[in-house]
Amino acid sequence: MSALLEVTSISVSFDGFKAINNLSFEIGGQELRAIIGPNGAGKTTFMDIVTGKTRPDEGRVRFGEPQLDLLRLSESQIARAGVGRKFQRPTVFEAQSVRDNLTMALSNDRLPFAVLRYKPSSQDGDRVAALADEIGLSDELDRTAGELSHGQKQWLEIGMLLAQDPQLLLVDEPAAGMTLGEREHTTDLLRRAAKTRAVVVVEHDMEFVRRLDCKVTVLHEGSVLAEGTLDHVTANSEVIDVYLGR
Amino acid sequence: MLRIVYVLIAVVIALAPASAQDAGLNALLETHRAKIEKPSRTTIGPVLDALVESKLPSVAVFLEKWREKDLWQREADGRFFFVEKTDGGQLMLIDVDTGAQAGLADRSELDNLKPNSGVRGVIAAALVQFQLSDPDPERRLQALTALERDANQSHLSILRTAIESETDPAIKARKERLQRLLTIKFGSNQQARVAAIKSFAGDPGVDARAALNPLLATSVAVFDSKPEGVNVARLLAPGSDIEMDAAYQLLVDEAKARPIVPLNDRKQALVANIKNGMVAGITVAQLVTQEARDRAYLELAADGTVPPLVTREEQRLAVADHVFAEVYAEPDTVLTTAAKETLANISGTVGFYQFVDLALDGLSLASIYFLAAIGLAITFGVMGVINMAHGEFIMIGAYTGYVVQQYIPNYTVSIIVALPLAFAVAFLAGVALERLVIRHLAHRPLETLLATFGISIALQQIAKNIFGTQARPLTSPSWLDGAWVLNDVVSISYIRIAIFVLSLAFLGLLLFILNRTRLGLEVRAVTQNPRMASSMGINPDRINMLTFGLGSGIAGIAGVAIGLFAKVTSELGSGYIVQSFMTVVVGGVGNIWGTLAGAGMIGSLQKVIEFFNPSNTLAAQTYMIIFIIIFIQFRPKGIIALKGRAAGTRPMQRSLFMRQPSVLVFIGLLAIFTVVMVILSEGFGLGLVSTSMIKILGKTLCLCLIAIAMDLVWGYCGILSLGHFAFFGLGGYMIGMWLMYERTKDIVIASLSGGELPATPEEIREGIGSQIFGVVGGSEITVVWYFADSLFAQLALVVLVPGLLALVFGWLAFRSRVTGVYLSILTQAMTLALSLYLFQNDSGLRGNNGLSGLQNIPGLTDVPQSVVSVWFFLASALALGLGYLVAAWVVSGKFGNVIRAIRDDEARIRFMGYPVEAYKLVVFTLTAVIAAIAGALYYPQAGIINPAEIAPIASIYLAVWVAIGGRGRLYGAVIGAATVSVLSSWFTGGQAPSIPLGFFTINWVDWWQVLLGLGFVLVTLFVPKGIGGMFDRLVRKDAAS
């Protein structure tokens, strides 16, 4: 089975500093993967490259069935192709309601003239309700997103991500700023999502990663240092040296 | 006894030659006495020749004195003398030949000879040969210069002798050059002339070309067959080298062909032959086309009544039967070939030097732009602040220089004092601006832009109030006058060299400060990462303040430099602000080398374009702006961009809480207002509201409509377009063309209807053409007016032309991800380019005269203005209502959510899969079309449109109305536009009462702009949500929409 996402030997430099150095990465269609590594390892830059925000100096990025060369597409094209990303800081649209945020995220026709003629259908309404339920914001549908708590905003963003119905989810530090209960809820969300699509989670919180119970990739100085189960990886001496500490 | 006789004879013999010579000059003068007494330019020649040929030593002095009107004649015997004044009041006579004293005489006995200037000129020419050999080199040089200006054949031999005896090498070289030049024309044999011609190869001097060009003078001649023995320059092919008509005319002139009958003569012939309302069997009424007229004429010609026509075919055959050629006036082929080759060689050299001259000019311009822009680059780079008042700091510097010169009359000292003083004044002004305004608008670049714009117009008006509208002089010291001249082609004035040196000095100084001082280190740290810098103990506030002051101070110094060669007026700054922005944008923000590169590119580009369009500096600016707009597409971050992740991030926009606009309320209010006004108007009802008031209201409604468009593109979508007024103006021009064309057509038809023959369509077109374009010196209807006779077509163009412009510009801009202040600057550039283009007379739209008489609607000439104005008022209200509905529909649904998402976090919505550029393009184009429609309704009510309307400043005002009214609320935009424009006309129209303050009376006409400018600042600082925001707070409802 060919991988959903195939990243082959990408490298990128910023002003002389090599942020990504000959990195290769693969993930299958229904798989949950965690990426860990120290600050500056290139985790966010890696996501930038996959989503089209940054162009690598070398390497290939292939996605989907039939294979698309992501390096030739713009960010919005990549998103429409089925790659969804949740950013480190929650970036919901604070001026608009939760409902509007979710409705915009729904995987409908994105082109301007179609959107001009858009009429809210009951189907969309159901889907929004289901998503709101899933992320625990059913009571907040008509509130302005700017008024939500930090954790709620994170969930809203995950909800918007799911609304897009992407094949590949890239989630950047979902647990930041959450309480223990919220973290458990988030873990459930991600594990559920991974049943039907590929999910890549970047995290620092080891407990959170342990609960995810999935394959782990360790990045260091722009390339893959180790890969395997969490136990395997945490036992690796190099990983301990650069990241975990003794 | 005999010995005494011998001695006497010897003495007499010894003296005889002297006295014979004595008698010589005087005798000579006696012979020509009549001509000397009453000289004229034509008769004096032989006299002078005789004098010169006599080779008498005293002739030179005589001629000089005569020329200087120092020659006197004794009335008694007609003898000539010079005179000297004596103490007794009498004059001492001096013999013209010996210089000896010859007795006293009274003034009354003498006649002072005063030859006129023509005669004096001839005398001077004769004097030349004496002067050329004069012992004083100054005199020789003077004579040489006079000769260079006007020489003839006789001077050639004179020169030759003069050269031989010349001692000074420089003068000798010049004399030789002159000799060579004269040889070209007057040389005795071909060889000498050819040698002289060829000696000038590679010489860029204008005099060389002036001497060579006449040799190649040609005239067009006609031959029956290929000419032999004639010095032919080239054969002319009829149709390509020479126009058919011109060729045929030549044949006519040589009586080799029949003359054609001009159109007017044919018409007159027809008129002369009108019998009983018919001409040659065709009724006069039918003679309304050229084709019918030709038929009638042919009938007449067949009868022999009128000269026959010459058909095109006939002309062609006649022309083909002959050979046309350009023939040299100079018959000697050797000479012409030599001249041609030498001139070709010279033009190569000249071309090279022109390139050098261009490069020097480009460098000079670049140094000026660099000085003007470097301050802006620093503030923009360090603080991300766009300071629209930067131009005014330049102006402040220039005026400081002027004031200093009022107190210190010595120009050199005053400049030396003015430079640091201008720096100080501008520095303080900059610091004040930063402390009071800019600091409070941190991270809101678009608001900063608007607030500083307010300061800019306030400062301009204050300067105008203090210094008046006339240009004030800023004089450079005399040692800077003049220019460095390499040759006839390359020269550069010393002032420009000085400015170049000054800019280099500043470059060095800034590099030093930024790279070698602690202050510079801190500035660079704050540029790259303010938070990090502050956590290391650097105070970013202090750095910002100092940096802003530094940037402004440099602008002040630039002002002094610029003021030395440009006019110092209150508008000095606005002439440099757009260029400065472009320099910064092109060069790349935040570093000095970038500004240098940008200035270099813009300066040289402008000069190159000017070289190809020498008569048209407006065209140069227009093309340059267009080039820059395109350039930005390929390098949106400029030539030298800041790299790294940090450069890509932008601060998040402050989001606005929007209330759902109550559309029905608005429409209702609008409807009531409209109906009431119509009833009260002169046209339809009670006459309580004057027609001019109706027009003002109608125009205001149109302004409200464009404000809605602006709110849509800016308040809802986040695109601060500072060029939407261009679309407004274009809409006005499109409909204006139809209005003007049709009305002129009616007038022309009416005036031609009295003629003997009915007017043909061509005659009508000619009449229209000269009526419309006469004011710019043309008479042809240009291609832009092709559809002007069709209302439907022009209405379509109202939508199509601005729409297309918006599509193209928007596609280019959005596709290369230009956003924020960069985009605003580009829209300003676009609107500037458009207005400059329209200002040109050959734009086909009457240059700065614009289109006028638009209030007269063709076909409705019987309807009084009071009624027409009401109709337009109704139309404007209708358009406003519809526009509001359309805008409300667009923003209320998902589309509205998406564009607000684009406004608030463009990257985020992009990652959600929305093609952001497509949305921006749709909104940009839609709002451009709405603006165009508003303009098409506005200008017929205004009656006139000209390019000044589309000045960049107009679009900025538009942004200000919307900001004041409240962005992101449609009714806010309407309120803002209505309030500010009504207030504006009230204040500037003189209706607002003046406020006496005891020592000073505030006349609003002079101070309104200051109030307005300060108003923007205050609104931006304290009421960022505008009037609409205040409204919301008063009528606080639940925040949920």
Side-chain angles (χ1 to χ4, degrees):
Chain A
M1 182 201 79
S2 69
L4 178 67
L5 175 71
E6 263 177 46
V7 177
T8 316
S9 301
I10 53 172
S11 297
V12 75
S13 294
F14 295 124
D15 229 0
F17 167 65
K18 207 152 184 140
I20 303 282
N21 188 2
N22 199 10
L23 173 70
S24 294
F25 181 89
E26 261 184 32
I27 185 167
Q30 281 90 36
E31 185 185 332
L32 178 59
R33 177 81 64 88
I35 295 187
I36 62 176
N39 281 324
K43 308 188 290 293
T44 306
T45 312
F46 166 69
M47 287 202 185
D48 284 349
I49 291 177
V50 173
T51 53
K53 184 161 181 269
T54 308
R55 291 258 175 276
D57 300 328
E58 297 154 6
R60 290 197 324 260
V61 180
R62 299 270 163 79
F63 174 78
E65 199 74 51
Q67 281 214 322
L68 290 172
D69 181 2
L70 290 190
L71 298 181
R72 287 170 184 269
L73 301 179
S74 70
E75 291 107 315
S76 52
Q77 285 169 321
I78 295 177
R80 288 202 291 279
V83 177
R85 178 176 178 177
K86 185 205 153 308
F87 289 82
Q88 270 176 299
R89 343 166 289 289
T91 49
V92 298
F93 296 108
E94 314 233 338
Q96 307 190 32
S97 68
V98 171
R99 185 192 302 281
D100 283 340
N101 271 281
L102 287 170
T103 313
M104 270 201 293
L106 287 179
S107 62
N108 291 327
D109 195 338
R110 300 291 207 236
L111 295 180
F113 291 112
V115 168
L116 263 176
R117 283 171 298 157
Y118 174 81
K119 280 191 199 347
S121 64
S122 59
Q123 208 180 2
D124 286 343
D126 290 342
R127 183 119 167 71
V128 167
L131 277 167
D133 199 39
E134 173 106 36
I135 57 178
L137 290 178
S138 299
D139 294 333
E140 323 289 349
L141 270 174
D142 288 313
R143 278 185 82 190
T144 316
E147 290 170 18
L148 297 175
S149 76
H150 179 89
Q152 285 175 317
K153 283 185 193 170
Q154 295 263 44
W155 284 338
L156 175 55
E157 191 152 353
I158 294 178
M160 284 163 71
L161 202 54
L162 292 173
Q164 262 175 267
D165 205 19
Q167 295 171 272
L168 170 64
L169 254 82
L170 301 170
V171 187
D172 206 342
E173 297 191 32
M178 288 192 180
T179 66
L180 195 55
E182 288 170 345
R183 280 161 203 248
E184 285 184 11
H185 186 187
T186 309
T187 312
D188 291 335
L189 268 176
L190 293 172
R191 291 188 58 120
R192 251 201 312 278
K195 291 209 180 79
T196 46
R197 60 201 83 232
V199 178
V200 174
V201 179
V202 166
E203 249 309 332
H204 278 296
D205 182 351
M206 284 301 126
E207 273 311 304
F208 186 83
V209 173
R210 184 171 299 284
R211 258 200 307 281
L212 283 179
D213 192 23
C214 61
K215 187 166 167 192
V216 173
T217 304
V218 183
L219 289 191
H220 174 59
E221 286 183 355
S223 46
V224 175
L225 186 57
E227 229 172 48
T229 64
L230 187 59
D231 291 327
H232 171 85
V233 161
T234 45
N236 183 317
S237 55
E238 278 183 325
V239 173
I240 294 176
D241 276 340
V242 308
Y243 187 39
L244 298 172
R246 292 191 181 280
Chain B
M1 179 65 176
L2 204 57
R3 244 180 291 152
I4 296 175
V5 172
Y6 285 148
V7 169
L8 277 173
I9 293 175
V11 167
V12 169
I13 291 172
L15 289 177
S19 53
Q21 279 192 335
D22 244 36
L25 182 56
N26 279 312
L28 203 48
L29 293 176
E30 185 59 38
T31 331
H32 299 281
R33 177 147 60 105
K35 291 223 183 80
I36 297 178
E37 278 171 0
K38 291 204 177 358
S40 90
R41 201 154 57 91
T42 42
T43 59
I44 205 64
V47 177
L48 294 173
D49 289 341
L51 284 172
V52 168
E53 277 197 24
S54 72
K55 297 212 191 310
L56 293 167
S58 44
V59 167
V61 176
F62 173 79
L63 287 177
E64 266 197 50
K65 288 267 189 187
W66 188 16
R67 192 190 58 162
E68 279 152 36
K69 305 187 204 165
D70 269 342
L71 185 64
W72 299 72
Q73 190 185 32
R74 193 160 53 190
E75 282 171 14
D77 61 358
R79 216 168 119 123
F80 297 101
F81 293 98
F82 304 138
V83 299
E84 263 174 24
K85 290 211 176 77
T86 61
D87 292 332
Q90 284 187 310
L91 298 170
M92 172 59 75
L93 299 171
I94 311 286
D95 186 273
V96 297
D97 206 10
T98 59
Q101 293 185 340
L104 289 167
D106 280 324
R107 175 71 182 79
S108 54
E109 298 166 37
L110 299 170
D111 198 15
N112 184 215
L113 294 179
K114 296 203 180 93
N116 64 37
S117 59
V119 175
R120 289 207 309 279
V122 184
I123 300 176
L127 262 175
V128 161
Q129 52 195 300
F130 296 105
Q131 289 169 328
L132 276 180
S133 314
D134 196 295
D136 178 9
E138 265 305 308
R139 285 261 188 98
R140 294 209 292 278
L141 217 47
Q142 268 179 20
L144 192 55
T145 316
L147 209 53
E148 277 167 354
R149 243 176 277 140
D150 185 26
N152 60 45
Q153 185 141 20
S154 57
H155 290 127
L156 198 47
S157 41
I158 297 175
L159 255 183
R160 213 169 282 138
T161 29
I163 289 175
E164 282 158 18
S165 55
E166 181 57 57
T167 48
D168 183 322
I171 300 183
K172 187 162 181 172
R174 267 180 76 173
K175 284 187 178 172
E176 279 178 331
R177 186 189 172 87
L178 186 57
Q179 185 193 31
R180 279 186 293 142
L181 282 171
L182 291 179
T183 310
I184 294 179
K185 202 153 147 203
F186 301 119
S188 45
N189 65 45
Q190 189 199 66
Q191 212 180 14
R193 288 174 81 183
V194 169
I197 291 174
K198 293 207 169 148
S199 74
F200 282 105
D203 189 317
V206 177
D207 51 0
R209 282 176 273 163
L212 287 172
N213 275 321
L215 273 179
L216 294 176
T218 60
S219 56
V220 181
V222 162
F223 302 93
D224 291 329
S225 57
K226 189 145 185 266
E228 304 282 336
V230 173
N231 194 353
V232 171
R234 61 174 180 145
L235 295 173
L236 297 171
S240 43
D241 299 325
I242 180 172
E243 296 229 1
M244 272 299 200
D245 292 339
Y248 191 78
Q249 191 57 42
L250 263 176
L251 288 176
V252 171
D253 293 339
E254 302 264 330
K256 290 188 199 274
R258 278 188 310 150
I260 60 170
V261 185
L263 202 61
N264 204 32
D265 289 2
R266 280 143 66 178
K267 182 177 168 194
Q268 294 308 322
L270 289 178
V271 167
N273 282 290
I274 297 180
K275 295 186 181 65
N276 301 324
M278 302 226 293
V279 178
I282 304 180
T283 55
V284 167
Q286 282 184 307
L287 293 175
V288 76
T289 63
Q290 191 56 40
E291 182 262 332
R293 292 189 187 182
D294 287 345
R295 269 188 294 127
Y297 190 91
L298 282 171
E299 286 288 328
L300 290 175
D303 289 342
T305 327
V306 292
L309 287 180
V310 180
T311 61
R312 277 267 168 230
E313 185 60 26
E314 234 189 283
Q315 290 179 31
R316 205 181 54 76
L317 284 172
V319 161
D321 218 19
H322 293 86
V323 174
F324 295 86
E326 264 177 8
V327 177
Y328 285 120
E330 167 63 59
D332 187 338
T333 352
V334 174
L335 283 178
T336 50
T337 318
K340 206 158 112 175
E341 282 169 10
T342 312
L343 269 177
N345 181 299
I346 286 180
S347 56
T349 317
V350 166
F352 168 73
Y353 282 118
Q354 272 176 338
F355 174 74
V356 172
D357 189 53
L358 205 66
L360 282 179
D361 281 344
L363 263 182
S364 161
L365 193 61
S367 67
I368 293 168
Y369 283 152
F370 176 75
L371 266 182
I374 186 64
L376 194 67
I378 292 175
T379 49
F380 195 17
V382 172
M383 301 163 62
V385 165
I386 278 287
N387 176 15
M388 291 294 279
H390 182 77
E392 276 57 55
F393 290 141
I394 296 179
M395 175 194 76
I396 286 176
Y399 273 121
T400 308
Y402 162 72
V403 169
V404 166
Q405 280 197 338
Q406 296 296 102
Y407 291 105
I408 302 180
N410 180 322
Y411 290 137
T412 311
V413 174
S414 63
I415 297 292
I416 294 178
V417 168
L419 281 172
L421 193 61
F423 181 91
V425 170
F427 179 91
L428 289 173
V431 166
L433 180 62
E434 201 274 333
R435 294 265 97 185
L436 293 174
V437 177
I438 300 201
R439 152 144 331 182
H440 304 286
L441 295 172
H443 302 306
R444 291 155 67 189
L446 301 183
E447 276 88 339
T448 316
L449 193 153
L450 286 182
T452 52
F453 173 71
I455 299 287
S456 155
I457 64 173
L459 282 177
Q460 277 190 38
Q461 185 66 47
I462 292 177
K464 206 182 282 193
N465 291 345
I466 298 178
F467 293 103
T469 49
Q470 265 197 320
R472 296 287 162 187
L474 186 57
T475 324
S476 55
S478 52
W479 49 269
L480 273 182
D481 283 341
W484 175 72
V485 180
L486 176 63
N487 56 37
D488 277 344
V489 186
V490 181
S491 74
I492 184 152
S493 67
Y494 286 127
I495 293 184
R496 286 183 177 256
I497 298 181
I499 294 179
F500 181 72
V501 170
L502 187 70
S503 66
L504 276 183
F506 263 95
L507 176 65
L509 185 68
L510 280 174
L511 282 174
F512 177 78
I513 292 180
L514 279 183
N515 291 326
R516 295 286 159 102
T517 63
R518 174 80 196 178
L519 173 67
L521 185 64
E522 294 186 4
V523 166
R524 281 182 291 136
V526 171
T527 309
Q528 288 170 25
N529 196 331
R531 294 242 188 98
M532 218 30 220
S534 82
S535 68
M536 287 165 85
I538 298 175
N539 183 349
D541 280 349
R542 192 178 79 95
I543 295 296
N544 284 342
M545 185 180 82
L546 287 177
T547 310
F548 204 83
L550 178 65
S552 312
I554 297 176
I557 292 197
V560 174
I562 291 174
L564 285 177
F565 69 86
K567 285 197 207 167
V568 180
T569 63
S570 59
E571 265 118 45
L572 179 70
S574 43
Y576 283 91
I577 187 77
V578 177
Q579 269 80 348
S580 300
F581 278 138
M582 305 234 262
T583 306
V584 171
V585 164
V586 164
V589 158
N591 73 81
I592 297 185
W593 296 112
T595 312
L596 195 63
M601 197 177 103
I602 294 188
S604 39
L605 191 65
Q606 182 164 335
K607 277 294 156 194
V608 166
I609 297 177
E610 269 179 28
F611 178 73
F612 288 112
N613 281 294
S615 50
N616 200 339
T617 45
L618 290 181
Q621 288 207 43
T622 313
Y623 295 135
M624 189 180 74
I625 292 172
I626 293 176
F627 171 82
I628 289 175
I629 293 178
I630 297 178
F631 174 84
I632 292 288
Q633 315 312 319
F634 297 103
R635 275 200 83 96
K637 292 240 163 39
I639 300 177
I640 302 180
L642 289 180
K643 297 200 190 67
R645 261 172 67 188
T649 56
R650 270 181 306 278
M652 211 158 99
Q653 298 273 5
R654 182 88 60 87
S655 55
L656 294 168
F657 288 82
M658 194 196 88
R659 224 164 53 108
Q660 189 78 303
S662 185
V663 177
L664 285 174
V665 171
F666 178 83
I667 300 287
L669 287 174
L670 179 64
I672 294 174
F673 172 76
T674 309
V675 168
V676 166
M677 283 297 140
V678 170
I679 293 177
L680 292 180
S681 74
E682 273 175 22
F684 276 124
L686 305 174
L688 286 175
V689 173
S690 68
T691 301
S692 60
M693 177 49 96
I694 290 285
K695 284 199 180 182
I696 290 177
L697 289 176
K699 280 158 51 177
T700 309
L701 289 180
C702 293
L703 293 179
C704 293
L705 180 57
I706 187 180
I708 288 180
M710 185 67 183
D711 199 11
L712 196 50
V713 77
W714 181 31
Y716 286 90
C717 199
I719 303 170
L720 178 57
S721 161
L722 292 180
H724 259 58
F725 224 81
F727 304 125
F728 189 81
L730 274 178
Y733 263 100
M734 291 301 122
I735 196 66
M737 277 161 64
W738 177 77
L739 288 169
M740 202 166 183
Y741 188 89
E742 283 297 305
R743 181 160 164 273
T744 313
K745 187 158 130 185
D746 290 344
I747 293 177
V748 164
I749 289 179
S751 75
L752 285 180
S753 65
E756 300 95 347
L757 299 178
T760 63
E762 290 85 6
E763 283 176 340
I764 295 177
R765 273 182 75 83
E766 256 186 64
I768 296 177
S770 49
Q771 270 276 74
I772 294 183
F773 296 103
V775 73
V776 292
S779 61
E780 292 272 310
I781 300 182
T782 52
V783 84
V784 187
W785 293 72
Y786 187 76
F787 295 109
D789 55 347
S790 156
L791 175 61
F792 180 71
Q794 288 297 124
L795 281 177
L797 287 181
V798 163
V799 167
L800 288 175
V801 170
L804 204 64
L805 176 63
L807 259 179
V808 170
F809 179 85
W811 184 73
L812 285 177
F814 300 139
R815 172 181 161 273
S816 54
R817 306 279 178 96
V818 180
T819 55
V821 288
Y822 286 101
L823 182 67
S824 307
I825 293 170
L826 275 189
T827 54
Q828 278 274 286
M830 170 195 81
T831 192
L832 179 64
L834 183 66
S835 75
L836 286 178
Y837 173 72
L838 288 170
F839 264 118
Q840 296 174 56
N841 279 343
D842 42 325
S843 66
L845 288 166
R846 300 185 7 135
N848 68 337
N849 298 289
L851 306 176
S852 55
L854 303 181
Q855 71 276 16
N856 302 307
I857 315 294
L860 293 179
T861 37
D862 306 330
V863 183
Q865 276 293 306
S866 55
V867 175
V868 171
S869 61
V870 170
W871 285 351
F872 267 101
F873 174 70
L874 280 172
S876 309
L878 189 65
L880 179 60
L882 278 176
Y884 197 94
L885 280 171
V886 166
W889 174 64
V890 164
V891 304
S892 57
K894 189 167 169 193
F895 191 89
N897 291 348
V898 173
I899 62 175
R900 280 180 300 137
I902 292 176
R903 175 195 67 194
D904 293 340
D905 197 340
E906 188 177 305
R908 183 73 186 88
I909 192 82
R910 192 173 274 132
F911 283 113
M912 274 168 66
Y914 283 91
V916 166
E917 282 66 51
Y919 281 85
K920 286 184 175 179
L921 197 56
V922 166
V923 171
F924 193 77
T925 311
L926 174 67
T927 52
V929 167
I930 295 177
I933 294 175
L937 283 170
Y938 179 94
Y939 284 104
Q941 299 185 68
I944 182 168
I945 180 171
N946 60 43
E949 299 274 322
I950 333 183
I953 201 174
S955 298
I956 300 187
Y957 275 121
L958 184 55
V960 167
W961 300 336
V962 172
I964 288 184
R967 288 186 273 161
R969 289 164 189 71
L970 291 178
Y971 58 84
V974 172
I975 293 174
T979 315
V980 178
S981 63
V982 167
L983 277 181
S984 215
S985 32
W986 190 57
F987 277 114
T988 55
Q991 286 110 338
S994 306
I995 301 182
L997 288 179
F999 57 91
F1000 185 75
T1001 310
I1002 297 185
N1003 285 317
W1004 286 113
V1005 181
D1006 294 329
W1007 288 94
W1008 160 243
Q1009 202 154 308
V1010 179
L1011 178 67
L1012 187 64
L1014 291 179
F1016 300 172
V1017 179
L1018 292 173
V1019 166
T1020 326
L1021 280 176
F1022 299 118
V1023 196
K1025 299 197 181 98
I1027 299 179
M1030 290 198 306
F1031 208 63
D1032 283 351
R1033 262 183 281 168
L1034 290 176
V1035 193
R1036 183 101 265 192
K1037 269 160 71 164
D1038 215 7
S1041 44

